[in-house]
């Protein structure tokens, strides 16, 4: 039995439950006496609510409550992780297609559904803001009530925020070649296979809320605020999400359910359909205009970036998305002069929220495509132009921030090699390559409790959410490795705020590094305790005692942990407890409230073939390479990276939410919103890693999981351009769009 | 309009079950709510995602597209019916070994579809595996490992 | 427009008649308030979407005289009312005489769908994009309808009225579909346009049949309210010496009956253009298959 668990791929903790169907996702949890909830919304994107007549609905047998804004404390409480703008239920106006106007709680789902159909809504459809141009139109209606941000000079516009980043002087900088273009990234949705589901139940003088939430402590804070309860009386149960991807990060209908639970005195349960899940969350969409200057040798002189970002009806975490993505908009390059101006625009659409990549895919689509354009104009190879501009490890490339923290050229070269870059191409084929850079957490407060039991087994209590990335397994591996305990004797408890200590969130690819560090520290703290106590027991000084993995070396010989525990705890029994933490406080001097803990850097390369008759793409070879520091569990890293790549291909080739003129989403549901199936895989796919053990996490690790989709679109777009001569600026690259591009190209447009 | 329930007798995971079902409830609802077999999952509710895949009379089907009433006289196997006495079957083992499981929500449906494929074609090619699992979506994108898992299980079946 | 806020269907009565007579009686009793249930893969979706809100759903699967198999009768293949698409795909006789039908059936949904969906169900659902229909049309399929009082046979080309609408009367049930085995040597090919390589509805589909005598039949789906069948007996399209531009001109003539639209799946201009592209491809493939057959 090896004591070395790092860099190995033991079976997933929780895997057994998942392959047997025993894993309890939220919709599988049953409580006695639960009422079923169904939501009612208007049939357009923006409406004035005139009347909500619930009288017929209330008469349906089995109905307990039909809740509207009038039933809530007045003014209706508003919530949001950064800005409290979102009402628990729609008040006076419905601001996006799917915003609930009424909620029915009934004994059965059938009764709730029948009653929901009986709710009589009288509303007046209003002109809506459904596109970026609508949002910028000074004559358009305001999405947000100006009284919500009384001191904001932008309050009478649909611009929530204007963000400015930059350095140097783009106006004065001399460039030999300037390229300028505008790129768009549409609205896409998370489409986790588990639709959103929530439960709430009164709990004495407090409340219990169940949600597959990635950030239980954020939900706890918001429920406490909205219900005016102390944190200690709000208990969040967070079952492992069936896919999160950021979509399950922030509260949506949990506050509404909490009120329903208190009003009915019963547990209440809402399981959204897939269609409702699409209405509930999406990625920020944007239009980015970039003007970029280069020297003849390919060096970047400046990027002048103007990004209009459509964030939706409520802010959620979207302002942070725009902020972070704009900050790194120039990508992982040496850019002497940069000007980045981003506008976060409100719209009468589904609120955008966190989504794997956090705005970077949208920016890299534009800025990486610019690099390609310049390369073509200058006659420079697209790998060469990137190599020329990559910073070296230790080099500052964003003034005032963490310097380049990896040998980024290695990822680029490895990806290029994986698609045989530079070798002759068959007819009708093209290759593309692109880099993506993302900032991770800039602040953190993560605690963990590690308990060493009487029999030498251990329990780890952590607030991280395991949504498939394998956090349970990786943390178990760290404990097993550090403590010399077999993996099978490590238990991980997650998902209950009454049990696990505080964690900021499971996001930004941060958990291996930040929570992993806390876990690592808890192990060291435990070993320090053992050392002190063992010294006592052995009547030796602490200097004479060395605590290794599972074994204590004393002056007179060795003692296993088990023997020590038996001896020390005796027949009174007991356990040893250690707390580990990683706290990085916010610093208000920094535009992002702190420097990033590490950079997530990834390179994507593709070789494609285009059927010029139909526009259909076939991806022959596809590679993603992540600069991961150290893969604590190589199988997990590969799967997360490959999985991100597949999702990136979905965004690039086939995903977009289509709205009609009234702001309704036309392609709700699995039939007309397409994501990749098993048959859509590239013919050859490689998920590779660069491991230089140069990360801040345990054993030199960095975070991963988002890298694989940061640069998918520009890599594929570039390959399509090489194959066909057609440059496309708007995603997705559907066969129809490529075909249209080919027609325009032939006609010389 | 009150609807009379329908009496249904079916064999589920080897056990004969007789129950009264609502005519308008699907087999998926019946399995999850009445029989409390929550291993089978609900996602798209329209036969596009495969999360609800079970095996009925020896064929994989989307249980969201069958009325519970239609299952009368049928033999149904759900994910809970694969392991015997707590021991995983070869395919389940293979999924774990190959690292084919991430969030796990698609997995019951995926495993049932794969099991049905192997039941009919014990040694499928990669193309045949893709065809057999074409109706099962995985948003975690774990398809490559899933293919490996099924392939490995099929090789293991060679005595 | 209703959004799907529930996975549930509205309430209805479920009936499972054991004989055709019982079924006819139920149809008479409930008229337009009745829906027939075979495989359910279209019906359940429509019930959930509230496109249909029947009072009664009549399950056909226990009716003794409705067959679920394929039989050979004189010079035709008779496909039973409850024949699964899976069975169509696997059947050696289908593969020998009508391989393009097996090919087309294999594109419908996924294995899970094909294990429940029936061929008559696919036809009666009358989606203009139904994938099995073009293959059936080029092979001159006939729909056999039974009612309490009569039997009638309707050529498939006359069966469709519009999207979701056929000539089937309220009191009729499809009892079988006949496929005349071709008397001369033929070859056929099928293609469809989709948004992704994986399972997808067709934005358009095209089937082409060519005979040794030079007869060409094309059938198109999702380019009009009904699937369209056109025929050219001149032999010119099959002529290898035919000029490419002339071929295109002839094909465009045959395509005049189509009327593609823009919808959430594809735009009108693209559909029109792809009709020509795919038609040329399936024509060539069918001719190649025919030529290869001659060599055997």
């Amino acid at each position: 039995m090896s004591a070395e668990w790092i860099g190995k791929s033991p079976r997933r903790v929780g895997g057994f439950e998942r392959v047997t169907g025993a894993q309890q996702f939220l919709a599988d949890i049953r409580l006695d006496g639960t009422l079923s909830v169904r939501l009612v919304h208007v049939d357009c994107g923006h409406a004035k609510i005139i009347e909500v007549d619930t009288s017929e609905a209330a008469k349906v047998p089995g109905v307990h409550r039909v809740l509207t804004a009038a039933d809530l404390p007045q003014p209706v409480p508003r919530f949001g992780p950064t800005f409290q703008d979102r009402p628990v239920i729609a008040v006076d106006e419905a601001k996006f297609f799917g915003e609930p106007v009424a909620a029915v709680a009934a004994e059965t789902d059938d009764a709730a559904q029948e009653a929901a159909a009986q709710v009589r809504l009288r509303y007046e459809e209003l002109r809506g803001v459904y596109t970026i141009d609508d949002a910028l139109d000074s004559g358009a209606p305001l999405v947000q009530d100006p009284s919500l941000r009384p001191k904001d000079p932008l309050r009478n516009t649909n611009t929530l925020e204007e963000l400015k980043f930059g350095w140097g002087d783009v106006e004065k900088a001399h460039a030999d070649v300037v390229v300028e273009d505008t790129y768009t990234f549409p609205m896409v949705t998370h489409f986790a296979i588990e639709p959103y589901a929530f439960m709430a139940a009164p709990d004495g003088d407090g409340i219990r809320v169940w949600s597959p939430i990635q950030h239980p402590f954020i939900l706890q804070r918001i429920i406490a605020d909205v219900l005016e309860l102390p944190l200690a009386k709000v208990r969040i149960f967070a079952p492992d999400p069936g896919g999160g991807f950021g979509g399950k990060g922030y509260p949506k209908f949990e506050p509404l359910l909490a009120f329903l639970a208190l009003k009915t005195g019963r547990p209440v349960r809402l399981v959204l359909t897939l269609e409702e899940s699409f209405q509930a969350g999406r990625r920020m969409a944007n239009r980015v205009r970039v003007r970029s200057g280069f020297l003849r040798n390919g060096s970047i002189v400046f990027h002048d970036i103007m990004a209009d970002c459509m964030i939706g009806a409520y802010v959620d975490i979207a302002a942070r998305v725009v902020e972070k993505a704009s900050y790194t908009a120039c990508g992982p390059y040496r850019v002497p002069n940069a000007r980045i101006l981003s506008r976060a625009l409100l719209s009468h659409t589904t609120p955008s929220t966190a989504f794997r990549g956090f705005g970077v895919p949208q920016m890299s689509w534009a800025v990486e495509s610019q690099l390609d354009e310049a390369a073509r104009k200058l006659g420079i190879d697209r790998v060469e132009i990137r190599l020329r501009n990559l910073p070296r490890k230790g080099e500052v490339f964003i003034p005032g921030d963490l310097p380049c923290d990896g040998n980024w050229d290695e990822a680029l070269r490895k990806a290029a090699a994986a698609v045989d870059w530079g070798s002759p191409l068959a007819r009708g084929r093209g290759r593309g390559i692109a880099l993506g850079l993302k900032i991770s957490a800039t602040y953190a407060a993560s605690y963990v409790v590690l308990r060493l039991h009487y029999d030498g087994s251990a329990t780890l209590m952590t607030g991280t959410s395991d949504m498939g990335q394998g956090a349970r397994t990786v943390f178990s591996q760290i404990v097993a490795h550090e403590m010399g305990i077999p993996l099978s004797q490590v238990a991980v408890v997650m998902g209950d705020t009454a049990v696990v200590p505080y964690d900021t969130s499971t996001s930004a690819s941060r958990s291996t590094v930040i929570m992993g560090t806390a876990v690592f520290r808890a192990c060291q703290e435990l070993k320090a305790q053992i050392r002190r106590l063992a010294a006592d027991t052995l009547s030796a000084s602490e200097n004479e005692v060395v605590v290794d993995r599972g074994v204590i070396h004393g002056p007179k010989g060795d003692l296993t942990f088990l023997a020590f525990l038996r001896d020390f705890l005796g027949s009174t029994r007991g356990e040893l407890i250690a707390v580990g933490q990683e706290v990085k406080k916010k610093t208000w001097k920094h535009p992002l409230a702190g420097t990033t803990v590490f950079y997530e850097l990834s390179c994507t390369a593709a070789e494609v073939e285009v059927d010029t008759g139909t526009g259909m793409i076939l991806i022959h070879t596809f590679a993603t390479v992540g600069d991961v520091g150290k893969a604590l569990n190589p199988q997990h890293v590969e799967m997360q990276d490959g999985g991100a790549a597949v999702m990136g291909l979905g965004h690039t080739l086939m995903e977009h939410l289509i709205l009609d003129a009234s702001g309704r989403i036309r392609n709700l549901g699995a039939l007309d919103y397409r994501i990749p199936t098993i048959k859509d895989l590239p013919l050859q796919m490689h998920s590779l890693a660069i491991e230089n053990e140069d990360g801040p996490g345990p054993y030199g690790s960095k975070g991963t999981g988002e890298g694989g989709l940061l640069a998918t679109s520009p890599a594929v777009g570039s390959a399509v351009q090489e194959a066909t001569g057609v440059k496309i600026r708007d995603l997705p690259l559907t066969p129809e769009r490529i075909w249209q591009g080919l027609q325009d190209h032939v006609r010389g447009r | 309009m009150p609807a009379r329930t329908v009496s249904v007798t079916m064999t589920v995971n080897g056990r004969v079950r007789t129950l009264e079902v609502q005519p308008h409830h699907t087999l998926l609802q019946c399995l999850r709510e009445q029989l409390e077999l929550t291993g089978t999952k609900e996602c798209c509710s329209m036969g596009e995602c495969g999360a609800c895949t079970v095996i009925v009379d020896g064929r994989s089907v989307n249980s969201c597209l069958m009325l519970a009433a239609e299952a009368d006289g049928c033999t149904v196997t759900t994910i809970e019916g694969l392991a015997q006495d707590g021991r995983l079957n070869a395919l389940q083992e293979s999924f774990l070994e190959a690292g084919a499981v991430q969030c796990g929500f698609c997995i019951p449906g995926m495993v049932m579809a794969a099991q049905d494929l192997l039941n009919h074609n014990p040694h499928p090619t990669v193309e045949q595996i893709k065809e057999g699992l074409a109706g099962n979506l995985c948003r975690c994108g774990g398809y490559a490992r899933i293919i490996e898992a099924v392939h490995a299980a099929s090789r293991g079946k060679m005595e | 427009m209703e959004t799907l806020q529930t996975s549930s269907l509205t309430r209805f009565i479920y009936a499972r008649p054991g004989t055709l007579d019982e079924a006819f009686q139920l149809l008479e009793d409930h008229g337009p308030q009745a829906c027939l249930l075979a495989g359910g893969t279209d019906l359940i979706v429509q019930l959930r979407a509230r496109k249909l809100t029947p009072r009664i759903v009549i399950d056909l699967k226990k009716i003794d005289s409705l067959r679920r198999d394929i039989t050979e009768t004189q010079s035709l293949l008779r496909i039973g009312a409850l024949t699964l698409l899976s069975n169509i795909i696997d059947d050696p006789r289908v593969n020998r005489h009508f391989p393009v039908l097996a090919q087309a059936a294999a594109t419908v949904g996924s294995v899970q769908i094909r294990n429940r969906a029936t061929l008559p169900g696919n036809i009666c659902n009358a989606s203009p994009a139904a994938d099995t229909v073009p293959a059936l049309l080029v092979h001159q399929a006939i729909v056999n309808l039974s009612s309490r009082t009569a039997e009638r046979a309707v050529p498939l080309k006359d069966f469709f009225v519009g999207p979701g609408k056929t000539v089937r009367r309220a009191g009729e049930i499809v009892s079988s579909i006949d496929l005349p085995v071709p008397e001369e040597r033929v070859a056929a090919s099928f293609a469809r346009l989709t948004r992704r390589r994986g399972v997808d509805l067709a934005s358009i589909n095209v089937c082409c049949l060519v005979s040794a005598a030079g007869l060409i039949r094309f059938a198109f789906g999702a380019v009009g309210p009904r699937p369209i069948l056109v025929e050219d007996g001149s032999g010119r399209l099959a002529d290898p010496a035919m000029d490419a531009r002339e071929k295109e001109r002839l094909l465009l003539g045959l395509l005049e009956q189509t009327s593609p639209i823009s919808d959430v799946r594809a735009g009108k201009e693209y559909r029109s253009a792809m009709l020509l592209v795919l038609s040329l491809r399936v024509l060539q493939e069918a001719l190649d298959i025919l030529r290869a057959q001659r060599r055997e």
Side-chain angles (χ1 to χ4, degrees), chain A residues 407-579:
Chain A
N407 298 341
W408 290 345
D409 62 305
E410 287 181 33
L412 180 59
R413 288 182 210 278
K414 196 164 190 171
V419 298
D420 220 10
W421 191 273
S423 69
L425 267 174
R427 208 163 166 268
R429 295 213 198 170
R431 292 191 188 108
I433 196 159
L435 283 167
L437 178 84
K438 187 181 173 292
I439 269 182
S440 179
T442 62
Y443 59 88
S446 298
Y447 303 83
V448 82
V449 170
L450 181 60
R451 300 162 59 189
L452 186 61
H453 302 295
Y454 187 71
D455 65 352
S457 66
T459 297
L460 186 73
M461 291 147 62
T462 167
T464 299
S465 164
D466 193 337
M467 45 184 158
Q469 85 282 37
R472 281 176 205 279
T473 315
V474 166
F475 297 159
S476 301
Q477 285 175 252
I478 295 172
V479 173
H481 187 83
E482 287 302 308
M483 304 300 294
I485 301 173
L487 199 70
S488 58
Q489 291 191 22
V490 180
V492 181
V493 173
M494 289 174 169
D496 180 348
T497 57
V499 172
V500 306
Y502 188 90
D503 177 37
T504 310
S505 61
T506 303
S507 60
S509 310
R510 66 192 281 290
S511 300
T512 293
V513 168
I514 293 178
M515 187 58 80
T517 295
V519 173
F520 183 87
R521 287 184 180 151
C523 294
Q524 308 322 311
E525 162 58 24
L526 204 52
K527 286 191 278 192
Q529 279 186 40
I530 291 171
R531 187 159 167 248
R532 275 195 303 277
L533 298 168
D536 239 14
T537 312
L538 298 169
S539 304
S541 74
E542 276 189 49
N543 299 347
E544 296 172 286
V545 176
V546 174
V547 176
D548 202 339
R549 295 186 166 113
V551 107
I552 302 157
H553 304 291
K556 299 196 192 95
D558 291 350
L559 196 62
T560 63
F561 277 10
L562 186 60
F564 161 75
L565 287 165
R566 291 276 148 85
D567 196 37
F568 174 73
L569 296 171
S571 61
T572 317
R573 294 183 166 247
E575 61 185 49
L576 296 185
I577 305 172
V579 173

Side-chain angles (χ1 to χ4, degrees), chain C residues 71-107:
Chain C
T71 50
E72 282 182 275
T73 309
Q74 298 169 320
S75 56
L76 38 88
L77 220 56
R78 175 158 286 176
I79 296 174
L82 299 172
T83 308
L84 299 177
L85 293 181
S86 293
N87 292 342
I88 301 264
I89 293 160
D90 291 338
D91 191 278
R93 294 158 298 181
V94 171
N95 281 284
R96 181 165 59 248
H97 299 298
F98 313 101
V100 80
L101 176 60
Q103 201 192 329
T107 67

Side-chain angles (χ1 to χ4, degrees), chain C residues 42 85 100-110 114 119 122-123 125-138 156 160 189-194 199-207 219-222 227:
Chain C
D42 284 318
L85 293 181
V100 80
L101 176 60
Q103 201 192 329
T107 67
V108 175
S110 59
R114 301 192 288 269
L119 186 64
N122 194 227
I123 294 169
N125 185 50
S127 160
D131 289 296
T132 58
V133 170
L136 291 166
L137 282 173
V138 300
L156 187 65
F160 301 104
S189 182
F190 171 76
R192 61 205 295 266
L193 185 72
T194 53
V199 171
D200 206 354
L201 293 176
S203 304
I204 67 168
N205 50 38
V206 184
C207 189
F220 310 107

Side-chain angles (χ1 to χ4, degrees), chain B residues 20-98:
Chain B
E20 294 296 309
V21 302
Q22 291 286 342
H24 68 293
H25 281 185
T26 60
L27 176 60
L28 177 63
Q29 285 171 288
C30 172
L31 289 171
R32 286 182 55 80
E33 284 151 41
Q34 286 181 266
L35 297 178
E36 293 179 343
L37 293 167
T38 58
T40 310
K41 304 304 179 197
E42 179 149 36
C43 172
C44 78
S45 311
M46 53 161 28
E48 288 288 321
C49 74
C52 68
T53 306
V54 297
I55 296 176
V56 173
D57 290 346
R59 292 182 195 261
S60 61
V61 300
N62 292 316
S63 59
C64 72
L65 292 184
M66 261 183 80
L67 298 176
E70 291 179 84
D72 184 47
C74 291
T75 303
V76 179
T77 311
T78 70
I79 188 72
E80 292 96 337
L82 289 192
Q84 294 298 322
D85 301 320
R87 288 188 56 215
L88 301 179
N89 83 356
L91 183 63
Q92 290 169 306
E93 280 287 345
S94 197
F95 263 71
L96 289 182
E97 198 55 39

Side-chain angles (χ1 to χ4, degrees), chain C residues 3 8 35 46-47 88 104 130 133 145 186 197 252 254 266:
Chain C
T3 56
S8 278
C35 276
Q46 288 163 353
L47 292 178
I88 301 264
V133 170
L145 294 153
V186 299
R197 286 175 184 280
L252 285 169
L254 289 175

